[in-house]
Amino acid sequence: MAPRESSHEPTSTPDPVEKGFATLATLRIGVKAFVEKDGEKRKAEILSIQTRRGKPTFYVHYEEFNKRLDEWIPAERIDLSREVEWPAPEKLEKKKAASTVSKSQPSKAETSKVPKNLKRARSKLDREISATPEATSTNLPGKAARPSKASGKENKEHIALVSTEVTDDSTPKADDEEMDLVDVQDAAAAAKAAPPEIYSREDEIEKLRTSGSMTQNQTEISRVRNLDRVQMGQFEIEPWYFSPYPVDFTDAEMVYICEFCLGYFGDVTQFERHRTKCTLLHPPGNEIYRDDYVSFFEIDGRRQRTWCRNLCLLSKLFLDHKTLYYDVDPFLFYCMCTRDEHGFHLVGYFSKEKESAEGYNVACILTLPQYQRKGFGKLLIAFSYELSKREGKLGSPEKPLSDLGLLGYRAYWQETIVDILMDGRTEANVEDLGAMTAMTTTDVLHTLQNLNMLRYSKNQHVIVLTDAVVEQRERQKAKEKIKGRRIIDPDRLQWKPPVFTASSRTWNW
Amino acid sequence: MTQRVTGQRFRQRKLSTKQNLPVLRENEVEKLPDDDAQRHIPKVETGVEKGEEIEHHLQAVISASQAAATGGKVAQLYIPTPEAVASSLQYEQLYPRHFAQPATYIRFSSTVEDCVGCPYCMTSDDMLFLKEMNQRKGRTIQCTEDEFEEVMNFFEETAQTKQPYAAVDNPPVLSYEEIETEFDEAISESSRRFAKDIYEHWKNQRLLTSNRSLMPTLKFETNLETDDSDPYVCFRRREVRQVRKTRGRDAQVTEKLKKLRKELEEARYLMSRVKVREVMARDQLAIDRQIFEQRATVKEAKRKLGIKGDDEDLINQKPAPKPKPKVDSTAVQRGIPGMGPKPQLTRPDGRLLDSDLVSLQEQLAKKEEAINGFIEENLAKHQKWNQGWEDLTWRPITPPLEQAASRSTFRPVTCQQLPTPPASVSSENSGDNLNADQDMNKVEKQNRVVVRYASPPDDVPYPDQRRYRRRKGRGGRIMVDRRGVKRPCLEPIDERVLDRHKYSGDSSEDEQLYFVDPYDNLHIKYRMMIDRQGEKAQGIAQTRRSIGDSNHLHQNHNRSASGHLLPPSNAAG
Ligand SMILES: [Zn+2]
C-alpha cells in the first residue's frame, strides 16, 4: 500500500508551497520540517512552541501519524539541514481550510452514504475536493470539532454542506432516513449556530489576524495535548489527546485520577486525602452482567452526572473523536470491570444513546490504555451486540471510528461471521447473518467483501470460506485453547432495555 | 482505480441480501488469477475519518490483515500508542483491600457526591499551614484534617454562592465577617472554633488564584460569546435548545407556571389570613379572660359589700357578640373564594363557648325549630307539587296500630275504629276529623251509593258498628278481622256471599271513601311526628307495609309520606 498515491491529500492540489531553510529563531507555528522520529526523519508540523527551562520546545504533529503520537520535542530533533515548508502568511488560512476539507468532509459523506453507492459518492467527492477545495470549505481547524448541536451524538459530527447533494444519489432506505435526520438537525443547528459556520472563513481569518498569535486562538489549544501524565489505579498513563480537564492541570506534572469515582486531582496530597474519604468501590450503577472474569455496570448519564462526566473527561484523553461539547444526560454508559479485593477496576466502557435515531448501538467505545491488547475490546464489542440482541435491534457503532476502533470491530465482525459460516451450513444470506449477530446488513456485507469472501461464481453470488480465513480462525482457536476463551454469556446478562420518556432521553425532563 | 471498478461490478450484479447464497470452500470455486487476488478485494468503507484513514500505522495494519485474509503470512502488527506503565504510588495504601463481593448483582444508586465526603481536599500547602496552626494552639485544641477541610469547604461554598460570577467580575475576596454571617449547620461547632484562624490562610490562597475556586473546576458555559471557541467549555446543557424547538409547548408551559404561581399566591394569602384570624382569636381569649377576672373581682367586691342587683353585668348578654363573627366570616369568605364554611363553623363555636353559657334547652329548642322549619318547608314544597293536580289516589293515613296493640298485648279482640286518630292525638284533631267526616258524608250522598264503613254512622247502634281486630298470623303476618260491617242479616249466607264479592272485587275499593286527605297539612304533620317519635319508625313502616299486604282494606296506593318527608336527622336511621 502506498497511502500517498491512493489518498486525497490536498497536497495533490496545485497549491504552491513556499520552501526554504530555517533557523531555530525563524521556526514558527505552522512550519513543516523534518523531525527525527524513532530513527527516521518524518515531516512534522509545528503546532505550538514553548520555552521550557530556557530552551524552546516544539509540539509537533507527524504527517500521516495519528495525533496521539504528537509530542513535545527539543530543537535538536528538528533537521534544519533540510528545507522546511513555510506557512505563507496570506495562504495560511487557505491552506488550513483545505486540509480540513480533506479531514472532515469526506468522512461525513462517506460514513453515511458511500457504502451503498461507493463509486458515485467517491467520484463526486473526488470532484469536489480536487476541483473546489476552497469553495466547499466551511470548517476551520478546531472548528471541525463542533458537533451538530441538536443531535445527541457523542462523536464528532461535522456540518458538511456536501451531504445534501450526495443524498440524492444514495438509494438505500436506511441511509435516506439518516440523511433526512442529519439534514434537518444540521440545518436547525446551523441556523442557530450560523455565524461561526457561515462567516467562518473570512471572519475567522480576520479574527486570527487581529488577535495576534495563533496560540492565542483557543481552537488551537485543543490540538495540543494539555495533560502530561495521568496516574490511575496501579498505572501511569500518557494521555493521547486533549481533554477539557480544569485549565489549572495544564501545569501539573501528573494528574491523579481516583480509580473508583474517577475524580481528578492535580496535587498528590489532595488525591491521598480524597482516597481516605472516597467510599466508592465500583461504578455507581447496577451490575447487569457478571462472569468469572468481568462485570458490566449500567450507568445513566442523567442520574450519575458527575461520574459520567468524569468518565467522559478520562476517555477523552484517549478518544480523538469524542466531544464533550454537550452534557452526558442522553447517554447510558456500560462499564466493564475486573474484580478483586480492592474493588471493581474499570477496564473499559462504551456509551450508548438512550435512543439513537441512526440506530447506533455504541456511541463511544474505549478500553483504557493500561488494559489494551488483552482482548477486552472484543468483550466490549460483543457485549454491545448482546444488548442489541436483547433489544431485538440491529446495531452499528457511531461513525467516525477511530483507527483502533475500526480494527477492533473488523476483528470482531470477522470472527463472529466466520464462526457462523463454519458451523457446517451450506447456505447463508446476508440478512439472516445480520439478524443472528445483531449486525447491520451493511456491516455483514462489508465484512464479507473485505475478507474477499463474497464472490461471483457460475453466474451466482457465493460466500467463500477462504482457506486463509479458515486458517486464521483455526489458529485463533488454538490460541484460545491455551489461553482460555473470553466470551459474553447471554444467560448472565440480567437486563431489560430501559425505557425512557422522550423528554428524559434528550432533555433531562 | 481497479479496486473501484471491481466494487462496481459487484453492485451491477445486484446482490440481494435476502437471497440464500451457497457457502463454499475455496477449492469449490474457480481459482482467481494470482495477481488478481489482492485486487479483487473491493475497497470497503472503513468508517474512519478520511484524514486518518491514510495514517501510516493504520494502513500498515490493514494491509497486513488483508494479506492475512488472502493467504499471506504476516506478523501481527499493532498501532503504536503512548505508554502506560506501572505507577510508583502505594496502591495498597491508597486502595485498601476491603471489598467483599456480594453474591448477587450489585444494585446501586448513590452518586459520587454521596460517596466522596467533604469535597474539599487538602493540598500540601494546607498541610503545612495546619501543622503550624496546631503547633501554635495548645495541646487541647488541635484541628483535625477533617475539620480543616470542612472549614475550607464552607469558605469555598460560601464564596461560590455569594460571588457566583467571580470569574467574570473579579470581586474582592469575601471578608471574614461576610462569611461568619453565613454560618449554619453545614459547618459543625467543633470546626467553627478554627474558622477565624483558617480564614487568613484561605484568603491568601484565594489571592494566589485571583479569587478563583481553590479546587480546580471544569469550565461550564457562561453564555458568553467566548464559549464556542473555548475548548475547555464542556458539558453544555441541552435545554437551551429546547426553547427554540417547541415554541408551541412553551406557551403551554408558561400558562401552567402562571397558574401555579397564582395558586401559590392564593395559598399564601390564605395562610396570612388564617394567621390574622388566629391572632385575633388569641387576643379575644385574652380579653375574655380579663373580663372574667374583672367580673370575679366585681363579684367578690359585691359580695363583700353586700351589693345586690345588676347581676346582668356579670354574664354576657346575648345579642352583643352575635353580629361580630358574621362580619368576620364574610370578610374571610370574600377574601378567599371557594374556601367553604369551615372557618365560619369554628368561629361561632368558639364564640358561643366564650361569650355565653349555652343551655341545653336552648339548644334543643333550636334543633326543634330547625326540624319544624324543615317540615314546614317540605309541606310547602309538597303543596306546590300538587298544585293543579287532582289526587285521586288519596288514602287515609294508616294509624299506628302498634301503640294500641302493644298496650293491649295482642288481646284477641281489640276494637278500633278506622281511621280514628289514636289517643295521642289532641282533641282538636279528632274534632276536625269529625267535621271532615260529615263533609265527606255529604259528598258521598250526593255522588254515589257507597258502603260506608270507615266511620261509625250516626244511626247505627254501637253493637252494630263495625269493629276491627288486629292479630298476628303465621309468619308474623298482620291480619285484621272485622265485625259489624253489615247490619245483622237474617240470611247469613247472603252476608257471606256479599262479603266475598265485596272483598274480591277490584273496583269496589276505588269507590271507598275516606275522610282524610293524606296531604292535609295536619296529617302530614302527624305522620312526621310519628316518624320522629322514638325509634319505632322502622317498625311502623314495616307494619304498615304488612297491613297493606295482608289487608285489602289498606291495600291500594299506600303512599307513604315517610320516604319524602323525613327530616335529615332521621334519614340516617
Ligand atoms: Zn474517589
Side-chain angles (χ1 to χ4, degrees), chain B residues 137-181:
Chain B
K137 299 258 171 197
R139 271 279 155 76
T140 45
I141 4 168
Q142 293 282 298
C143 182
T144 66
E145 290 171 342
D146 288 334
E147 283 166 339
F148 177 85
E149 284 181 351
E150 192 183 329
V151 173
M152 290 293 273
N153 188 55
F154 184 79
F155 290 164
E156 286 289 296
E157 282 178 356
T158 310
Q160 178 59 34
T161 36
K162 288 215 142 190
Q163 303 175 334
Y165 305 111
V168 183
D169 52 13
N170 294 316
V173 179
L174 277 183
S175 71
Y176 181 73
E177 287 67 34
E178 279 174 287
I179 290 174
E180 202 174 21
T181 57

CSV table of all heavy atoms in Angstrom, one decimal, chain B residues 137-181:
chain,number,residue,atom,x,y,z
B,137,LYS,N,-1.5,26.4,68.6
B,137,LYS,CA,-2.6,26.1,69.5
B,137,LYS,C,-2.0,25.2,70.6
B,137,LYS,O,-1.0,24.5,70.5
B,137,LYS,CB,-3.7,25.4,68.8
B,137,LYS,CG,-4.3,26.2,67.7
B,137,LYS,CD,-5.6,26.8,68.1
B,137,LYS,CE,-6.1,27.7,67.0
B,137,LYS,NZ,-7.1,28.7,67.5
B,138,GLY,N,-2.8,25.2,71.7
B,138,GLY,CA,-2.4,24.3,72.8
B,138,GLY,C,-2.7,22.8,72.4
B,138,GLY,O,-3.3,22.5,71.4
B,139,ARG,N,-2.2,22.0,73.3
B,139,ARG,CA,-2.4,20.5,73.0
B,139,ARG,C,-3.9,20.2,73.0
B,139,ARG,O,-4.3,19.3,72.3
B,139,ARG,CB,-1.7,19.7,74.2
B,139,ARG,CG,-0.3,19.4,74.0
B,139,ARG,CD,-0.2,18.1,73.1
B,139,ARG,NE,1.1,18.1,72.4
B,139,ARG,CZ,2.3,17.8,73.0
B,139,ARG,NH1,2.3,17.4,74.2
B,139,ARG,NH2,3.4,17.8,72.3
B,140,THR,N,-4.6,20.9,73.8
B,140,THR,CA,-6.0,20.5,74.0
B,140,THR,C,-6.9,20.9,72.8
B,140,THR,O,-7.8,20.2,72.5
B,140,THR,CB,-6.6,21.2,75.2
B,140,THR,OG1,-6.2,22.6,75.2
B,140,THR,CG2,-6.1,20.6,76.5
B,141,ILE,N,-6.5,22.0,72.1
B,141,ILE,CA,-7.3,22.3,70.9
B,141,ILE,C,-6.5,22.0,69.6
B,141,ILE,O,-5.7,22.9,69.3
B,141,ILE,CB,-7.8,23.7,70.8
B,141,ILE,CG1,-7.3,24.5,72.0
B,141,ILE,CG2,-9.4,23.8,70.8
B,141,ILE,CD1,-7.5,26.0,71.9
B,142,GLN,N,-6.7,20.9,69.0
B,142,GLN,CA,-6.0,20.6,67.8
B,142,GLN,C,-7.0,20.4,66.7
B,142,GLN,O,-8.1,19.8,66.9
B,142,GLN,CB,-5.2,19.3,67.9
B,142,GLN,CG,-4.1,19.3,68.9
B,142,GLN,CD,-2.9,20.0,68.3
B,142,GLN,OE1,-2.3,19.6,67.3
B,142,GLN,NE2,-2.5,21.2,68.8
B,143,CYS,N,-6.7,21.0,65.6
B,143,CYS,CA,-7.6,21.0,64.4
B,143,CYS,C,-7.3,19.7,63.6
B,143,CYS,O,-6.2,19.5,63.2
B,143,CYS,CB,-7.5,22.2,63.6
B,143,CYS,SG,-8.7,22.3,62.2
B,144,THR,N,-8.3,18.9,63.4
B,144,THR,CA,-8.1,17.7,62.6
B,144,THR,C,-8.1,18.1,61.1
B,144,THR,O,-8.6,19.1,60.7
B,144,THR,CB,-9.2,16.6,62.8
B,144,THR,OG1,-10.4,17.1,62.4
B,144,THR,CG2,-9.2,16.3,64.3
B,145,GLU,N,-7.6,17.2,60.3
B,145,GLU,CA,-7.7,17.4,58.9
B,145,GLU,C,-9.1,17.5,58.4
B,145,GLU,O,-9.4,18.3,57.5
B,145,GLU,CB,-6.9,16.3,58.1
B,145,GLU,CG,-5.4,16.3,58.4
B,145,GLU,CD,-4.7,15.1,57.8
B,145,GLU,OE1,-5.4,14.1,57.6
B,145,GLU,OE2,-3.5,15.2,57.7
B,146,ASP,N,-10.0,16.7,58.9
B,146,ASP,CA,-11.4,16.7,58.5
B,146,ASP,C,-12.0,18.1,58.8
B,146,ASP,O,-12.7,18.6,58.0
B,146,ASP,CB,-12.2,15.6,59.2
B,146,ASP,CG,-11.8,14.2,58.6
B,146,ASP,OD1,-11.4,14.2,57.4
B,146,ASP,OD2,-11.9,13.2,59.3
B,147,GLU,N,-11.7,18.5,60.1
B,147,GLU,CA,-12.3,19.8,60.4
B,147,GLU,C,-11.7,21.0,59.6
B,147,GLU,O,-12.5,21.8,59.1
B,147,GLU,CB,-11.9,20.1,61.9
B,147,GLU,CG,-12.8,19.3,62.9
B,147,GLU,CD,-12.3,19.3,64.3
B,147,GLU,OE1,-11.1,19.6,64.5
B,147,GLU,OE2,-13.1,19.1,65.2
B,148,PHE,N,-10.5,20.9,59.3
B,148,PHE,CA,-9.9,21.9,58.4
B,148,PHE,C,-10.6,21.9,57.0
B,148,PHE,O,-10.9,22.9,56.5
B,148,PHE,CB,-8.4,21.6,58.2
B,148,PHE,CG,-7.7,22.5,57.3
B,148,PHE,CD1,-7.2,23.7,57.8
B,148,PHE,CD2,-7.5,22.2,55.9
B,148,PHE,CE1,-6.5,24.6,56.9
B,148,PHE,CE2,-6.9,23.1,55.1
B,148,PHE,CZ,-6.4,24.3,55.5
B,149,GLU,N,-10.7,20.7,56.5
B,149,GLU,CA,-11.4,20.6,55.2
B,149,GLU,C,-12.8,21.1,55.2
B,149,GLU,O,-13.3,21.7,54.3
B,149,GLU,CB,-11.3,19.2,54.7
B,149,GLU,CG,-10.0,18.8,54.2
B,149,GLU,CD,-9.9,17.4,53.6
B,149,GLU,OE1,-10.9,16.6,53.8
B,149,GLU,OE2,-8.9,17.0,53.0
B,150,GLU,N,-13.5,20.8,56.3
B,150,GLU,CA,-14.9,21.3,56.5
B,150,GLU,C,-14.9,22.8,56.4
B,150,GLU,O,-15.8,23.4,55.7
B,150,GLU,CB,-15.4,20.7,57.8
B,150,GLU,CG,-16.9,20.9,57.9
B,150,GLU,CD,-17.4,20.4,59.3
B,150,GLU,OE1,-16.8,19.5,59.9
B,150,GLU,OE2,-18.4,21.0,59.8
B,151,VAL,N,-14.0,23.4,57.2
B,151,VAL,CA,-14.0,24.9,57.2
B,151,VAL,C,-13.6,25.4,55.8
B,151,VAL,O,-14.3,26.3,55.3
B,151,VAL,CB,-13.0,25.4,58.2
B,151,VAL,CG1,-12.8,26.9,58.1
B,151,VAL,CG2,-13.4,25.0,59.6
B,152,MET,N,-12.6,24.9,55.2
B,152,MET,CA,-12.2,25.3,53.9
B,152,MET,C,-13.4,25.2,52.9
B,152,MET,O,-13.7,26.1,52.1
B,152,MET,CB,-11.0,24.6,53.4
B,152,MET,CG,-9.7,24.9,54.1
B,152,MET,SD,-9.2,26.6,53.8
B,152,MET,CE,-8.2,26.4,52.3
B,153,ASN,N,-14.0,24.0,53.0
B,153,ASN,CA,-15.1,23.8,52.1
B,153,ASN,C,-16.2,24.8,52.3
B,153,ASN,O,-16.8,25.3,51.3
B,153,ASN,CB,-15.6,22.4,52.3
B,153,ASN,CG,-16.7,22.0,51.2
B,153,ASN,OD1,-16.4,22.1,50.0
B,153,ASN,ND2,-17.8,21.6,51.7
B,154,PHE,N,-16.5,25.1,53.6
B,154,PHE,CA,-17.5,26.1,53.8
B,154,PHE,C,-17.2,27.4,53.2
B,154,PHE,O,-18.0,28.1,52.6
B,154,PHE,CB,-17.7,26.2,55.4
B,154,PHE,CG,-18.9,27.1,55.7
B,154,PHE,CD1,-20.2,26.7,55.6
B,154,PHE,CD2,-18.6,28.4,56.1
B,154,PHE,CE1,-21.2,27.5,55.9
B,154,PHE,CE2,-19.7,29.3,56.3
B,154,PHE,CZ,-21.0,28.8,56.3
B,155,PHE,N,-15.9,27.8,53.4
B,155,PHE,CA,-15.5,29.1,52.8
B,155,PHE,C,-15.7,29.1,51.3
B,155,PHE,O,-16.2,30.0,50.7
B,155,PHE,CB,-14.0,29.4,53.1
B,155,PHE,CG,-13.7,29.7,54.5
B,155,PHE,CD1,-12.4,29.6,55.0
B,155,PHE,CD2,-14.7,30.1,55.4
B,155,PHE,CE1,-12.2,29.9,56.4
B,155,PHE,CE2,-14.5,30.4,56.7
B,155,PHE,CZ,-13.2,30.3,57.2
B,156,GLU,N,-15.3,28.0,50.7
B,156,GLU,CA,-15.4,27.9,49.2
B,156,GLU,C,-16.8,28.0,48.8
B,156,GLU,O,-17.1,28.7,47.8
B,156,GLU,CB,-14.8,26.5,48.8
B,156,GLU,CG,-13.3,26.5,48.8
B,156,GLU,CD,-12.6,27.4,47.7
B,156,GLU,OE1,-12.8,27.1,46.6
B,156,GLU,OE2,-12.0,28.4,48.1
B,157,GLU,N,-17.7,27.2,49.5
B,157,GLU,CA,-19.1,27.2,49.0
B,157,GLU,C,-19.8,28.5,49.3
B,157,GLU,O,-20.6,29.0,48.5
B,157,GLU,CB,-19.8,26.1,49.8
B,157,GLU,CG,-19.5,24.7,49.2
B,157,GLU,CD,-20.2,23.6,49.9
B,157,GLU,OE1,-20.9,23.8,50.9
B,157,GLU,OE2,-20.1,22.4,49.4
B,158,THR,N,-19.4,29.2,50.4
B,158,THR,CA,-20.0,30.5,50.7
B,158,THR,C,-19.5,31.5,49.6
B,158,THR,O,-20.3,32.3,49.1
B,158,THR,CB,-19.5,31.0,52.0
B,158,THR,OG1,-19.8,30.0,53.0
B,158,THR,CG2,-20.3,32.2,52.4
B,159,ALA,N,-18.3,31.4,49.2
B,159,ALA,CA,-17.8,32.3,48.2
B,159,ALA,C,-18.5,32.0,46.9
B,159,ALA,O,-18.9,33.0,46.2
B,159,ALA,CB,-16.3,32.1,48.0
B,160,GLN,N,-18.7,30.8,46.6
B,160,GLN,CA,-19.4,30.4,45.4
B,160,GLN,C,-20.8,31.0,45.4
B,160,GLN,O,-21.3,31.5,44.3
B,160,GLN,CB,-19.4,28.9,45.2
B,160,GLN,CG,-20.2,28.4,44.0
B,160,GLN,CD,-19.6,28.9,42.7
B,160,GLN,OE1,-18.4,29.1,42.6
B,160,GLN,NE2,-20.4,29.1,41.7
B,161,THR,N,-21.6,30.9,46.5
B,161,THR,CA,-22.9,31.4,46.5
B,161,THR,C,-23.0,32.9,46.5
B,161,THR,O,-23.9,33.5,45.9
B,161,THR,CB,-23.7,30.8,47.7
B,161,THR,OG1,-22.9,30.7,48.8
B,161,THR,CG2,-24.3,29.5,47.4
B,162,LYS,N,-22.0,33.5,47.2
B,162,LYS,CA,-22.1,34.9,47.4
B,162,LYS,C,-21.5,35.6,46.1
B,162,LYS,O,-21.8,36.8,45.8
B,162,LYS,CB,-21.3,35.4,48.6
B,162,LYS,CG,-22.1,35.0,49.9
B,162,LYS,CD,-21.9,36.1,50.9
B,162,LYS,CE,-23.1,36.3,51.7
B,162,LYS,NZ,-23.0,37.5,52.6
B,163,GLN,N,-20.6,35.0,45.5
B,163,GLN,CA,-19.9,35.6,44.3
B,163,GLN,C,-20.0,34.6,43.2
B,163,GLN,O,-18.9,34.1,42.7
B,163,GLN,CB,-18.5,36.0,44.6
B,163,GLN,CG,-18.3,36.9,45.9
B,163,GLN,CD,-16.9,37.1,46.2
B,163,GLN,OE1,-16.0,36.3,45.9
B,163,GLN,NE2,-16.6,38.2,46.9
B,164,PRO,N,-21.2,34.4,42.7
B,164,PRO,CA,-21.3,33.3,41.6
B,164,PRO,C,-20.5,33.7,40.3
B,164,PRO,O,-20.2,32.9,39.5
B,164,PRO,CB,-22.8,33.2,41.4
B,164,PRO,CG,-23.4,34.4,41.9
B,164,PRO,CD,-22.5,34.9,43.0
B,165,TYR,N,-20.4,35.0,40.1
B,165,TYR,CA,-19.7,35.4,38.9
B,165,TYR,C,-18.3,35.9,39.1
B,165,TYR,O,-17.8,36.8,38.4
B,165,TYR,CB,-20.6,36.5,38.2
B,165,TYR,CG,-22.0,36.0,38.0
B,165,TYR,CD1,-23.0,36.6,38.7
B,165,TYR,CD2,-22.3,35.0,37.1
B,165,TYR,CE1,-24.3,36.1,38.6
B,165,TYR,CE2,-23.6,34.5,37.0
B,165,TYR,CZ,-24.6,35.1,37.7
B,165,TYR,OH,-25.9,34.7,37.5
B,166,ALA,N,-17.7,35.3,40.1
B,166,ALA,CA,-16.3,35.8,40.4
B,166,ALA,C,-15.4,35.7,39.3
B,166,ALA,O,-14.5,36.6,39.1
B,166,ALA,CB,-15.8,35.0,41.6
B,167,ALA,N,-15.6,34.7,38.4
B,167,ALA,CA,-14.7,34.5,37.3
B,167,ALA,C,-14.8,35.7,36.3
B,167,ALA,O,-13.9,36.0,35.6
B,167,ALA,CB,-15.0,33.2,36.6
B,168,VAL,N,-16.0,36.3,36.3
B,168,VAL,CA,-16.2,37.4,35.3
B,168,VAL,C,-15.9,38.8,35.9
B,168,VAL,O,-15.3,39.6,35.3
B,168,VAL,CB,-17.7,37.3,34.8
B,168,VAL,CG1,-17.9,38.4,33.8
B,168,VAL,CG2,-18.0,36.0,34.3
B,169,ASP,N,-16.5,39.0,37.1
B,169,ASP,CA,-16.4,40.4,37.6
B,169,ASP,C,-15.3,40.7,38.7
B,169,ASP,O,-15.3,41.8,39.2
B,169,ASP,CB,-17.8,40.9,38.1
B,169,ASP,CG,-18.4,40.0,39.1
B,169,ASP,OD1,-17.7,39.1,39.6
B,169,ASP,OD2,-19.6,40.1,39.4
B,170,ASN,N,-14.5,39.6,39.0
B,170,ASN,CA,-13.4,39.8,39.9
B,170,ASN,C,-13.7,40.6,41.1
B,170,ASN,O,-13.1,41.7,41.4
B,170,ASN,CB,-12.2,40.5,39.1
B,170,ASN,CG,-11.7,39.6,38.0
B,170,ASN,OD1,-11.5,38.4,38.2
B,170,ASN,ND2,-11.5,40.2,36.8
B,171,PRO,N,-14.6,40.2,42.0
B,171,PRO,CA,-14.8,40.9,43.2
B,171,PRO,C,-13.7,40.6,44.2
B,171,PRO,O,-12.9,39.6,44.0
B,171,PRO,CB,-16.1,40.3,43.7
B,171,PRO,CG,-16.1,38.9,43.2
B,171,PRO,CD,-15.3,38.9,41.9
B,172,PRO,N,-13.6,41.4,45.3
B,172,PRO,CA,-12.5,41.1,46.3
B,172,PRO,C,-12.9,39.8,47.1
B,172,PRO,O,-14.1,39.4,47.1
B,172,PRO,CB,-12.6,42.3,47.2
B,172,PRO,CG,-14.0,42.9,47.0
B,172,PRO,CD,-14.4,42.6,45.6
B,173,VAL,N,-11.9,39.3,47.7
B,173,VAL,CA,-12.1,38.0,48.5
B,173,VAL,C,-13.1,38.4,49.6
B,173,VAL,O,-13.0,39.4,50.2
B,173,VAL,CB,-10.8,37.5,49.0
B,173,VAL,CG1,-11.1,36.3,49.9
B,173,VAL,CG2,-9.9,37.2,47.9
B,174,LEU,N,-14.0,37.5,49.9
B,174,LEU,CA,-15.0,37.7,50.9
B,174,LEU,C,-14.3,38.0,52.3
B,174,LEU,O,-13.4,37.3,52.6
B,174,LEU,CB,-15.9,36.5,51.1
B,174,LEU,CG,-17.1,36.3,50.1
B,174,LEU,CD1,-17.8,35.0,50.6
B,174,LEU,CD2,-18.0,37.4,50.2
B,175,SER,N,-14.9,38.9,53.0
B,175,SER,CA,-14.3,39.2,54.3
B,175,SER,C,-14.8,38.1,55.3
B,175,SER,O,-15.8,37.5,55.1
B,175,SER,CB,-14.8,40.6,54.8
B,175,SER,OG,-16.1,40.5,55.1
B,176,TYR,N,-14.1,38.0,56.4
B,176,TYR,CA,-14.5,37.0,57.4
B,176,TYR,C,-15.9,37.3,57.9
B,176,TYR,O,-16.7,36.4,58.1
B,176,TYR,CB,-13.5,37.0,58.5
B,176,TYR,CG,-13.8,35.9,59.5
B,176,TYR,CD1,-13.6,34.6,59.2
B,176,TYR,CD2,-14.3,36.3,60.8
B,176,TYR,CE1,-14.0,33.6,60.2
B,176,TYR,CE2,-14.7,35.3,61.7
B,176,TYR,CZ,-14.5,34.0,61.4
B,176,TYR,OH,-14.9,33.0,62.3
B,177,GLU,N,-16.1,38.6,58.1
B,177,GLU,CA,-17.4,39.0,58.7
B,177,GLU,C,-18.6,38.5,57.7
B,177,GLU,O,-19.6,38.0,58.2
B,177,GLU,CB,-17.5,40.5,58.9
B,177,GLU,CG,-16.7,41.0,60.0
B,177,GLU,CD,-15.2,40.9,59.8
B,177,GLU,OE1,-14.8,41.0,58.6
B,177,GLU,OE2,-14.5,40.6,60.8
B,178,GLU,N,-18.3,38.7,56.4
B,178,GLU,CA,-19.4,38.3,55.5
B,178,GLU,C,-19.6,36.8,55.6
B,178,GLU,O,-20.7,36.3,55.4
B,178,GLU,CB,-18.9,38.6,54.0
B,178,GLU,CG,-19.2,40.0,53.7
B,178,GLU,CD,-18.6,40.4,52.3
B,178,GLU,OE1,-17.4,40.5,52.2
B,178,GLU,OE2,-19.4,40.5,51.4
B,179,ILE,N,-18.5,36.0,55.8
B,179,ILE,CA,-18.7,34.6,55.8
B,179,ILE,C,-19.3,34.2,57.1
B,179,ILE,O,-20.2,33.3,57.2
B,179,ILE,CB,-17.3,33.9,55.7
B,179,ILE,CG1,-16.8,34.1,54.2
B,179,ILE,CG2,-17.3,32.4,56.0
B,179,ILE,CD1,-15.4,33.6,54.0
B,180,GLU,N,-18.9,34.9,58.2
B,180,GLU,CA,-19.4,34.5,59.5
B,180,GLU,C,-20.9,34.6,59.6
B,180,GLU,O,-21.6,33.7,60.3
B,180,GLU,CB,-18.8,35.4,60.6
B,180,GLU,CG,-18.8,34.8,62.0
B,180,GLU,CD,-18.1,35.7,63.0
B,180,GLU,OE1,-17.9,36.9,62.7
B,180,GLU,OE2,-17.6,35.2,64.0
B,181,THR,N,-21.5,35.5,58.9
B,181,THR,CA,-23.0,35.6,58.9
B,181,THR,C,-23.7,34.4,58.3
B,181,THR,O,-24.8,34.2,58.4
B,181,THR,CB,-23.4,36.9,58.2
B,181,THR,OG1,-22.9,36.9,56.9
B,181,THR,CG2,-22.9,38.2,58.9
